Amino acid sequence: MIAGETLTRQLPYWLVERREHLTHLFAPVPALALVLWLSLAALPGTLWMALIGYAAVHLFLFWMAYGRPTGNAARLPHADWASILVDAALSIVVISNPTSLLHFLPVYVLIAWRAVAGYRRNQATTMIVFVLGPIFLFQSLLNRTGNAALTPGEQWGAASILAGSLGCGIVAVLASARQQASIHQLRSELQRERNTREARVEELEHLANELRMRMRERHALEEGLRAITSTLSLDDVLEQILDSTVQTFGGERTHAVVLTLKTDGAWNNRMYARDGQLQAQWVEPIIRRVMRDQTPAVIADSALDPELGEMSKIGLRSIICVPLFVGDGPPRGALTVVSATFAAFSSSDARHLSAFAAQAGIAIGNAELHSQLRRQQHLLQAVLRDINDGLVVLDTENNVVLANPVGQALLDDRTASQPWLERMRELASRLSDDGRPVASPEWIVGDPECEEGCIVYQAVASRVRMNDDLPNLTAIVLHDITDHKAEERARMDFISMVSHELRNPLHTLNGFVKLVLQGRAGPLTALQKDFLSMADEQIEQLSGRVSELLEYNRFKAGRLALHPDVGDLSLLIAGTVSRLSLQAEQQQLSLVNETPHLPLCRFDNQRIGQVLTNLIENAMKATPAGGTIKISADVHDQEVWVRVSDTGIGIPSSELGKIFQRFYQVAKHRRAQGTHMGLGLAICQQIVEGHGGRIWVESEEGVGTTFTFTLPLAVDENHIAG
């Protein structure tokens, strides 16, 4: 190949490009040479006529085979056999007429050339050449006269004819043998291909059958999944799981199905059995094994498993068992299918059953959640229905979302001077961003002036925080405080009565003690004077307690009116600090006023002075000797914040939310200061809130306490209560 390519590269370019055209150009040369040979051979007229007819017939056959548009494929085999018959006819003409070897040789070459040209289409063409040469030589030898020897030319011609005939025969035999070998090889390959195709067809049929079976199983599985997810009843889900499992594996190979589920610490078995005689205890060993290993198990023959011997005795052989996962964590049960057929289940069945068990576990979990939600819903409905308090829930637009019967009855009340829904919306609007609960004043159902027979509610609004996808809600609890108000009125009446009953004797006793101390009843010894002084101090304390009770009663009854007026708060603070400085020095305390000049405020000078005095005196009681009490104030928006800070013993964090309750006493202060009624801070809170302000406390044990109260500035008079 390399040599040929090298030779081709050495040829001229135009010759390499046109060699195919040159081949077609020189193709007629052998034909012209044969025609010239035939013309020089001086053939007899009969033979010439035969050759002319031979050529005409071949031209006609060529036109029939290739010249007509429709004759290409259908007429080609017939044209080859017609050509062979024409060759045979020409051969008969040549043999039947006495022809010399010189005349026969070109005709023989013509027939051989035609046979070689048609050999690819029909191998029978070589038979004419193979037979014609020996017959002609035999006929020539019979027609020879005498024993004249062949001339060298005739010898070479005869040898050429014999060689051509033998060559054609050998070629025909070899071609036939090769063709037979090819046919045998093709038959072998065809048989192998047929066997391969038959095996493939058998395999495809097996796969098709298995695919149809899997499709049926998948269809049954889909139907089962659709069925078990179509209900939220746990009992219906469990029954549907059993039915779907039987449909998935078919009733012919499913003898029993056992669904094991652990609920509330107890094992529950649900079972389908074809004959109704199977007991779930027989499959418990394989269930425990599967739940322990958390992997499916396929048993081809239970007789080979020592733990399953009882099953083999009753004719049950094949088992498939998969764990049942309900939610997160370890399996809560198992799904088991039992068959009386040997090796009835495969690993593919285990995968299908595992997939079904996974969906069944989800359905069981959903059903359990639904049952739990229903129980919780019934519980919530019962609680909301039966509690004595009202509950109303508002959304961000202040629309009612939920209301229990008590709350709905209040919303439907048309006799109130102000609609209850409007009150609730106003209360909800007071909620701050931090969501701290807000309590309302007392809301009375009926005539506000009635003393008895009216229902009194106190509403508390709280923020209900939902998740990020839902808006927050406002829950308003309406607590019935009618009995509490009745008890409070009775207690206040009792306190008022007792206070008045005690006040007159105390005033009389105090007056007589003071007269004796002044010596108007005669001279006193030093010891008698000390005793009477101590008695006078106790009378003063008792009188102060009675005054606190009366004042507290007046606040609670709403009979203590405030008289706010525009004033200088910094001046009031300075006067209070100056008045209490001597008392602080006697207790070895530093009383510091850090209040700057403040804007004018609107307040009741006497009552705010009472608040300052109470807070400073409490700080002095809670601060040991050497401590410091500091009074400061500053402006925040439209409010003035006043702070009273000390370096005392502090208040425990667990008690910070209780110190403003009436009659409450901090344990540490009670031990350090002795017995008191615990009404001072409650009175301070009422005074501050009556001004439209707030009061709160901040404290750390061992560090100190800071009380802060606020008052509105004079420019914002709408916040000040009358």
Side-chain angles (χ1 to χ4, degrees):
M1 181 182 299
I2 298 176
E5 292 178 356
T6 304
L7 181 61
T8 303
R9 285 197 296 267
Q10 293 176 355
L11 294 175
Y13 173 76
W14 63 270
L15 184 59
V16 173
E17 290 294 325
R18 293 174 174 79
R19 57 184 176 182
E20 291 187 0
H21 301 287
L22 293 176
T23 301
H24 292 294
L25 181 64
F26 289 107
V29 172
L32 294 175
L34 180 61
V35 171
L36 180 61
W37 189 7
L38 289 172
S39 62
L40 294 176
L43 300 177
T46 305
L47 191 56
W48 272 113
M49 293 300 295
L51 287 174
I52 293 171
Y54 179 81
V57 172
H58 271 289
L59 287 174
F60 176 75
L61 292 176
F62 182 83
W63 177 78
M64 289 292 294
Y66 300 102
R68 301 180 62 182
T70 60
N72 237 5
R75 299 178 182 272
L76 185 57
H78 304 291
D80 290 338
W81 284 108
S83 298
I84 293 174
L85 291 176
V86 173
D87 291 344
L90 180 61
S91 301
I92 292 172
V93 172
V94 172
I95 294 174
S96 61
N97 292 295
T99 306
S100 65
L101 183 62
L102 295 176
H103 296 160
F104 175 76
L105 189 59
V107 177
Y108 182 76
V109 171
L110 175 62
I111 295 174
W113 188 11
R114 223 284 314 158
V116 171
Y119 174 76
R120 288 183 177 273
R121 294 189 299 274
N122 195 339
Q123 298 178 358
T125 57
T126 59
M127 296 301 298
I128 303 299
V129 181
F130 178 71
V131 174
L132 179 60
I135 293 176
F136 174 77
L137 292 177
F138 179 73
Q139 181 69 22
S140 297
L141 292 176
L142 290 178
N143 294 333
R144 289 183 68 87
T145 57
N147 296 324
L150 296 175
T151 63
E154 291 176 340
Q155 292 178 0
W156 281 105
S160 299
I161 292 172
L162 289 176
S165 298
L166 291 176
C168 288
I170 293 171
V171 169
V173 171
L174 292 177
S176 178
R178 183 176 180 182
Q179 185 177 10
Q180 291 297 325
S182 299
I183 291 173
H184 179 72
Q185 183 178 0
L186 289 175
R187 286 177 178 174
S188 299
E189 292 179 357
L190 182 61
Q191 185 63 34
R192 287 195 299 271
E193 185 67 22
R194 184 182 294 112
N195 295 336
T196 303
R197 289 182 178 272
E198 290 177 354
R200 184 62 176 169
V201 169
E202 183 178 356
E203 182 181 0
L204 290 176
E205 289 179 352
H206 176 72
L207 291 176
N209 293 332
E210 185 176 357
L211 181 60
R212 282 192 292 271
M213 182 178 67
R214 298 305 175 197
M215 289 296 291
R216 287 195 299 269
E217 292 180 354
R218 181 178 178 181
H219 180 71
L221 180 62
E222 290 176 352
E223 291 295 329
L225 293 177
R226 190 178 298 110
I228 65 176
T229 54
S230 63
T231 178
L232 290 175
S233 173
L234 183 59
D235 290 336
D236 294 343
V237 168
L238 298 179
E239 290 297 331
Q240 190 59 52
I241 290 173
L242 293 177
D243 295 341
S244 301
T245 305
V246 175
Q247 294 176 8
T248 300
F249 289 94
E252 64 279 359
R253 63 168 176 165
T254 303
H255 188 276
V257 178
V258 180
L259 174 60
T260 304
L261 185 64
K262 188 176 183 180
T263 306
D264 297 331
W267 292 100
N268 297 321
N269 294 309
R270 293 203 175 221
M271 183 173 55
Y272 157 82
R274 190 190 304 173
D275 54 8
Q277 298 179 357
L278 181 64
Q279 298 180 3
Q281 290 77 7
W282 294 345
V283 294
E284 285 184 0
I286 188 65
I287 292 175
R288 288 195 298 268
R289 185 191 311 172
V290 167
M291 293 184 63
R292 181 186 67 246
D293 299 338
Q294 300 186 14
T295 55
V298 180
I299 306 297
D301 192 353
S302 60
L304 302 178
D305 196 318
E307 295 183 351
L308 304 175
E310 294 294 331
M311 296 190 62
S312 62
K313 293 179 181 179
I314 60 175
L316 300 178
R317 305 186 66 182
S318 300
I319 305 172
I320 181 173
C321 183
V322 298
L324 187 63
F325 293 90
V326 180
D328 299 331
R332 279 185 51 195
L335 186 58
T336 308
V337 184
V338 184
S339 177
T341 307
F342 171 75
F345 308 111
S346 63
S347 58
S348 179
D349 294 325
R351 290 193 296 272
H352 281 80
L353 189 59
S354 297
F356 178 74
Q359 297 298 322
I362 296 175
I364 292 173
N366 292 338
E368 290 180 343
L369 287 176
H370 181 259
S371 300
Q372 184 179 359
L373 287 176
R374 289 188 61 185
R375 290 194 299 268
Q376 293 179 351
Q377 183 179 11
H378 293 161
L379 175 62
L380 179 60
Q381 290 176 350
V383 171
L384 294 178
R385 182 186 64 245
D386 297 335
I387 61 175
N388 294 325
D389 292 342
L391 175 64
V392 177
V393 180
L394 305 178
D395 59 13
T396 54
E397 303 297 330
N398 286 332
N399 297 317
V400 178
V401 177
L402 174 67
N404 69 343
V406 176
Q408 189 62 46
L410 293 176
L411 292 174
D412 296 337
D413 183 16
R414 297 293 183 266
T415 62
S417 58
Q418 182 183 11
W420 285 81
L421 181 57
E422 184 178 343
R423 296 180 182 181
M424 295 177 188
R425 288 173 175 172
E426 291 177 357
L427 182 62
S429 64
R430 291 169 52 191
L431 278 174
S432 57
D433 294 336
D434 57 5
R436 288 182 296 179
V438 176
S440 72
E442 298 166 359
W443 291 348
I444 301 175
V445 180
D447 186 6
E449 301 298 331
C450 67
E451 293 291 337
E452 296 182 358
C454 297
I455 302 176
V456 183
Y457 287 97
Q458 184 176 36
V460 178
S462 302
R463 188 78 72 191
V464 179
R465 300 192 182 276
M466 308 292 285
N467 53 33
D468 296 337
D469 299 331
L470 297 175
N472 295 332
L473 303 176
T474 302
I476 300 177
V477 178
L478 299 162
H479 182 55
D480 186 353
I481 59 173
T482 304
D483 295 339
H484 174 72
K485 293 300 293 182
E487 293 177 0
E488 186 176 348
R489 281 195 301 271
R491 185 168 55 251
M492 290 172 61
D493 292 342
F494 175 75
I495 292 174
S496 180
M497 181 187 66
V498 171
S499 299
H500 282 89
E501 291 295 330
L502 292 175
R503 196 170 190 180
N504 292 330
L506 284 175
H507 284 173
T508 303
L509 181 61
N510 191 21
F512 282 120
V513 170
K514 289 187 181 297
L515 288 175
V516 173
L517 283 174
Q518 292 174 2
R520 295 184 181 184
L524 298 175
T525 65
L527 183 59
Q528 290 173 342
K529 193 173 183 178
D530 290 339
F531 286 162
L532 288 174
S533 297
M534 293 174 58
D536 185 54
E537 290 178 1
Q538 295 299 319
I539 291 171
E540 290 288 348
Q541 290 184 7
L542 184 57
S543 180
R545 300 292 183 266
V546 172
S547 298
E548 285 184 358
L549 285 173
L550 289 174
E551 189 170 312
Y552 178 77
N553 261 9
R554 285 194 293 270
F555 270 108
K556 294 299 291 183
R559 295 192 296 267
L560 182 62
L562 299 176
H563 304 284
D565 196 3
V566 178
D568 189 347
L569 182 61
S570 56
L571 185 60
L572 174 62
I573 295 173
T576 304
V577 172
S578 177
R579 178 169 50 84
L580 296 175
S581 297
L582 180 59
Q583 183 179 347
E585 291 178 2
Q586 291 175 352
Q587 298 182 18
Q588 300 179 1
L589 299 174
S590 297
L591 184 59
V592 181
N593 182 12
E594 296 183 353
T595 304
H597 179 71
L598 297 173
L600 295 179
C601 298
R602 190 174 182 83
F603 59 92
D604 187 322
N605 191 77
Q606 180 183 355
R607 293 302 178 184
I608 296 302
Q610 182 181 351
V611 171
L612 287 170
T613 300
N614 197 321
L615 293 179
I616 294 173
E617 287 181 347
N618 285 346
M620 289 191 294
K621 294 175 184 178
T623 305
T628 302
I629 299 170
K630 181 174 62 176
I631 295 87
S632 61
D634 52 11
V635 178
H636 290 266
D637 296 331
Q638 298 299 316
E639 292 180 325
V640 174
W641 289 21
V642 181
R643 297 182 181 87
V644 178
S645 304
D646 63 58
T647 57
I649 58 178
I651 302 173
S653 58
S654 59
E655 300 187 51
L656 287 176
K658 306 175 184 178
I659 62 173
F660 290 104
Q661 298 177 4
R662 58 186 181 275
F663 305 112
Y664 183 79
Q665 303 176 33
V666 179
K668 286 187 175 182
H669 294 188
R670 185 165 59 246
R671 292 191 299 267
Q673 304 165 13
T675 304
H676 59 90
M677 299 191 68
L679 291 175
L681 291 177
I683 294 173
C684 291
Q685 184 182 41
Q686 291 176 345
I687 293 173
V688 171
E689 291 180 354
H691 283 76
R694 296 168 290 134
I695 184 170
W696 66 91
V697 62
E698 299 170 339
S699 182
E700 183 178 352
E701 288 188 81
V703 177
T705 304
T706 299
F707 281 89
T708 306
F709 67 91
T710 67
L711 291 174
L713 295 176
V715 294
D716 191 2
E717 301 179 359
N718 295 327
H719 287 80
I720 303 177

